[in-house]
């Protein structure tokens, strides 16, 4: 079964038609890259899956956005629960002004978990999952702001993962990172896909090619082409895709 | 034209220069063989250094383009095809040079007779034409023209097979000249190989234009 799906999705910012009839199905435990020029609708599309666009006024959605077979925009959906299953990582690392430990424990605490031992174990496991443990194990009580940009971003990924979502949404997660940190995050994405379904927005074509199984190319609110990444980057079916990935967009 | 496109254009220009030079080398070696012209043959051996220099320059430029521009899709196929075709062209240059060495070393009319008898020159002319025509297919991005090469290469292979059988029979009749016969077999084999190179080049052109890998498959 598809993990994520959109059917005939249209999205509007006021009178601006940002997404046009998007039909897309994403399999579980895969990485899907959303590419396209600025303003093409890829981030808007990503934010549909945790209903973050709800926070923007004067927006309108038609069509269905589905996770695990359920339309997440139907009446009665608990948005808090939805966001627990869809962790999100943003362009710039945004740790809370708290300790490294508390950043990761935060999601557990706001979800009412008070068992100290459980929280400690989950924090440790999650920080290990993002391959940050060896770097921070001796300074868990220090402020998260003491970490480097790359470490902060991995901490934010750990924070998103601590509440054990099944989907991770990433909006240009490495655009503010140096090549070494970028490589660590990309390696992490590769490891995480065995347990999570990951959707990543990126402007970096090589990154999309390196980390994703499938790639979707958006342009002016339309989904121009969706396919296996290897095929998209070696022999795309649509000329507009080829022109974009080869830098000949006019 | 953006910066990347002008880099590719520069690469293509050098590449065509190399191709024209190699095609001329092959054609000149045919003429040298037909007239057993030692001076012409000597010139081909000297010019081979120029081919080698271009081979190195193109290899380096392809490497730089991959490292600096990370080409994808049609651009990647273009560069990958160029790397392979460059190698094939360099081999054709070697063939022209080796045939020229044969011309320089052989001053015996025996060879002229055998070359005429085995249709070496007809085979050689077709090999030269193939190299020019496959270059045209590349210049004009014409996959069909590239496909036409396959059939014509078979014609060369056929002549070579017939020539081989004929020479083997001659060896049986006249074993004293076995060394000379073997030299002409090697000469024909080189000409046939030049034809093979055009076929391999045609495969790369189809890969670049149509994204289809057709080697090791029925054409």
């Amino acid at each position: 079964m598809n993990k994520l799906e959109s059917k005939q999705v249209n999205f509007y910012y006021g009178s601006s038609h940002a997404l046009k009839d998007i039909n897309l199905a994403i399999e579980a435990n895969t990485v899907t890259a959303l590419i396209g020029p600025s303003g093409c609708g890829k981030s808007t599309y990503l934010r549909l899956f945790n209903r973050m666009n709800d926070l923007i006024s004067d927006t309108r959605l038609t069509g269905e956005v589905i996770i695990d077979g359920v339309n997440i925009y139907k009446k009665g959906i608990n948005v808090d629960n939805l966001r627990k299953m869809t962790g999100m990582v943003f362009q710039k690392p945004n740790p809370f002004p708290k300790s490294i430990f508390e950043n990761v424990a935060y999601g557990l605490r706001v979800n009412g978990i008070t068992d100290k031992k459980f929280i400690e174990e989950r924090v440790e496991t999650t920080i290990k999952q993002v391959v940050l443990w060896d770097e921070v194990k001796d300074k868990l009580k220090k402020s998260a702001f003491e970490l480097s940009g790359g470490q902060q971003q991995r901490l934010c990924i750990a924070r998103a993962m601590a509440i054990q979502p099944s989907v991770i949404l990433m909006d240009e997660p490495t655009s503010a990172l140096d090549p070494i940190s970028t490589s660590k995050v990309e390696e992490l994405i590769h490891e995480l896909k065995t347990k999570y379904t990951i959707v990543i927005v990126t402007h970096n074509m090589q990154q999309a090619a390196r980390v994703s199984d499938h790639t979707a190319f958006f342009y002016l609110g339309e989904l121009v082409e969706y396919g296996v990444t290897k095929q998209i980057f070696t022999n795309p079916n649509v000329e507009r895709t080829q022109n974009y990935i080869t830098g000949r967009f006019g | 034209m953006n910066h990347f496109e002008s880099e590719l254009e520069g690469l293509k220009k050098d590449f065509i220069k190399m191709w024209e030079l190699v095609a001329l080398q092959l054609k000149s070696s045919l003429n040298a063989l037909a007239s057993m012209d030692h001076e012409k043959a000597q010139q081909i051996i000297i010019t081979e250094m120029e081919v080698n220099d271009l081979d190195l320059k193109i290899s380096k430029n392809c490497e730089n383009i991959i490292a600096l521009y990370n080409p994808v899709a049609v651009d990647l196929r273009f560069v990958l095809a160029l790397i392979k075709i460059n190698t094939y062209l360099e081999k054709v240059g070697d063939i022209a040079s080796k045939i020229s060495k044969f011309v320089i070393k052989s001053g015996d009319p025996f060879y002229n007779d055998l070359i005429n008898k085995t249709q070496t020159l007809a085979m050689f002319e077709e090999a030269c034409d193939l190299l020019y025509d496959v270059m045209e297919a590349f210049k004009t991005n014409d996959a069909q023209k590239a496909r036409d090469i396959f059939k014509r290469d078979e014609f060369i292979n056929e002549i070579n097979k017939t020539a081989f059988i004929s020479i083997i029979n001659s060896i049986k009749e006249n074993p004293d000249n076995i060394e000379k016969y073997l030299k002409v077999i090697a000469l024909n084999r080189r000409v046939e190989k030049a034809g093979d190179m055009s076929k391999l080049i045609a495969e790369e052109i189809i890969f670049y234009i149509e994204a289809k890998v057709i080697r090791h498959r029925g054409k």
Side-chain angles (χ1 to χ4, degrees):
Chain A
M1 190 171 78
N2 294 318
K3 180 74 186 174
L4 307 173
E5 203 171 351
S6 62
K7 289 183 181 170
Q8 294 291 115
V9 162
N10 286 276
F11 190 83
Y12 303 82
Y13 292 105
S15 59
S16 168
H17 196 172
L19 291 172
K20 300 168 186 169
D21 285 331
I22 309 295
N23 291 295
L24 186 59
I26 293 172
E27 287 170 35
N29 302 110
T30 59
V31 180
T32 299
L34 310 182
I35 61 168
S38 298
C40 69
K42 56 192 186 300
S43 291
T44 301
Y45 184 74
L46 184 82
R47 290 194 303 259
L48 289 177
F49 290 104
N50 62 356
R51 291 189 54 167
M52 260 187 63
N53 292 326
D54 293 9
L55 306 172
I56 305 166
S57 61
D58 196 20
T59 58
R60 188 162 60 88
L61 171 85
T62 64
E64 290 180 53
V65 181
I66 297 160
I67 299 181
D68 291 329
V70 177
N71 179 1
I72 60 168
Y73 284 81
K74 73 176 184 185
K75 275 187 185 165
I77 286 288
N78 181 324
V79 177
D80 289 340
N81 284 341
L82 168 73
R83 289 183 185 147
K84 275 183 217 163
M85 60 190 282
T86 52
M88 184 145 189
V89 180
F90 298 88
Q91 185 175 0
K92 282 180 79 176
N94 57 349
F96 297 144
K98 291 173 178 289
S99 70
I100 294 167
F101 182 92
E102 283 305 323
N103 261 274
V104 183
Y106 182 82
L108 303 171
R109 294 198 201 283
V110 295
N111 279 295
I113 297 169
T114 53
D115 184 335
K116 199 179 161 197
K117 195 165 182 299
F118 176 84
I119 292 175
E120 279 176 0
E121 280 174 4
R122 178 69 67 81
V123 168
E124 182 175 335
T125 309
T126 315
I127 295 179
K128 278 179 177 165
Q129 269 186 296
V130 300
V131 203
L132 189 62
W133 182 252
D134 288 344
E135 295 159 65
V136 302
K137 64 184 177 197
D138 299 324
K139 48 183 177 182
L140 290 172
K141 289 193 174 154
K142 294 261 173 82
S143 166
F145 293 132
E146 288 186 20
L147 299 174
S148 71
Q151 288 171 328
Q152 286 184 16
Q153 191 65 309
R154 277 181 284 151
L155 184 70
C156 291
I157 296 172
R159 189 178 65 196
M161 286 166 50
I163 51 169
Q164 298 196 321
S166 55
V167 176
I168 300 180
L169 308 171
M170 296 180 159
D171 196 351
E172 297 185 56
T174 62
S175 62
L177 304 184
D178 65 49
I180 295 168
S181 302
T182 297
S183 148
K184 284 185 177 170
V185 171
E186 287 182 3
E187 196 53 40
L188 182 58
I189 291 171
H190 189 69
E191 306 262 321
L192 293 180
K193 78 170 181 183
T194 55
K195 290 183 181 163
Y196 304 88
T197 304
I198 300 172
V199 185
I200 176 172
V201 165
T202 179
H203 275 131
N204 182 332
M205 295 295 100
Q206 276 65 48
Q207 180 170 72
R210 282 193 297 265
V211 303
S212 70
D213 303 296
H214 294 88
T215 296
F217 170 54
F218 285 77
Y219 183 61
L220 295 176
E222 288 175 25
L223 175 62
V224 176
E225 186 168 355
Y226 172 69
V228 173
T229 296
K230 272 182 195 159
Q231 183 249 318
I232 295 273
F233 282 93
T234 54
N235 188 26
N237 287 321
V238 182
E239 197 180 350
R240 275 189 295 172
T241 313
Q242 171 141 300
N243 288 342
Y244 180 72
I245 63 171
T246 58
R248 290 188 178 83
F249 224 62
Chain B
M1 192 184 286
N2 65 28
H3 182 53
F4 175 56
E5 285 171 315
S6 58
E7 286 284 326
L8 285 182
E9 202 52 38
L11 181 63
K12 193 171 180 179
K13 223 179 232 177
D14 278 341
F15 194 62
I16 297 287
K17 190 176 161 191
M18 160 110 169
W19 205 323
E20 284 170 344
L21 184 61
V22 168
L24 184 65
Q25 289 276 87
L26 194 66
K27 187 81 183 169
S28 301
S29 63
L30 162 65
N31 293 336
L33 181 69
S35 55
M36 287 295 177
D37 185 335
H38 289 205
E39 216 168 284
K40 201 173 268 176
Q42 192 61 49
Q43 188 54 46
I44 292 160
I45 293 164
I46 294 166
T47 316
E48 203 208 349
M49 283 165 67
E50 205 180 321
V51 174
N52 292 345
D53 287 346
L54 274 169
D55 165 39
L56 294 176
K57 185 182 176 191
I58 290 163
S59 297
K60 189 74 199 162
N61 287 346
C62 286
E63 185 188 332
N64 287 344
I65 282 180
I66 289 173
L68 301 178
Y69 297 95
N70 299 292
V72 292
V74 66
D75 296 332
L76 178 62
R77 296 200 303 274
F78 177 76
V79 178
L80 292 178
L82 243 60
I83 291 170
K84 283 197 169 182
I85 297 173
N86 190 42
T87 306
Y88 299 145
L89 287 177
E90 199 273 330
K91 282 184 182 165
V92 175
D94 281 350
I95 289 169
S97 177
K98 279 176 182 157
I99 291 172
S100 301
K101 282 176 189 162
F102 170 86
V103 170
I104 291 168
K105 283 180 188 166
S106 60
D108 191 335
F110 172 89
Y111 290 112
N112 297 38
D113 295 342
L114 193 57
I115 285 167
N116 285 334
K117 192 179 163 192
T118 57
Q119 281 193 286
T120 303
L121 297 179
M123 181 164 65
F124 207 159
E125 265 176 33
E126 183 63 4
C128 289
D129 288 348
L130 282 192
L131 194 59
Y132 277 106
D133 288 346
V134 79
M135 176 164 59
E136 201 53 32
F138 176 79
K139 281 181 181 173
T140 55
N141 289 337
D142 188 339
Q144 186 50 51
K145 206 176 182 96
R147 279 196 168 80
D148 293 343
I149 300 295
F150 301 140
K151 196 83 198 153
R152 290 168 61 191
D153 179 51
E154 283 172 20
F155 168 72
I156 294 177
N157 295 345
E158 277 310 308
I159 297 181
N160 185 41
K161 263 187 214 163
T162 311
F164 180 77
I165 293 164
S166 160
I167 293 174
I168 294 296
N169 289 335
S170 300
I171 290 172
K172 284 175 190 165
E173 288 165 18
N174 185 9
D176 292 346
N177 281 326
I178 188 163
E179 199 178 323
K180 290 176 183 173
Y181 283 122
L182 289 178
K183 278 185 180 169
V184 175
I185 286 178
L187 171 72
N188 286 347
R189 177 75 193 99
R190 288 201 172 102
V191 174
E192 190 259 343
K193 199 165 181 195
D196 284 348
M197 291 298 122
S198 288
K199 187 187 74 176
L200 293 173
I201 290 170
E203 288 175 356
E204 293 308 315
I205 292 171
I206 291 164
F207 165 71
Y208 148 55
I209 297 170
E210 297 181 350
K212 286 180 187 156
V213 176
I214 56 170
R215 63 179 182 274
H216 310 311
R217 291 171 197 179
K219 305 291 184 282

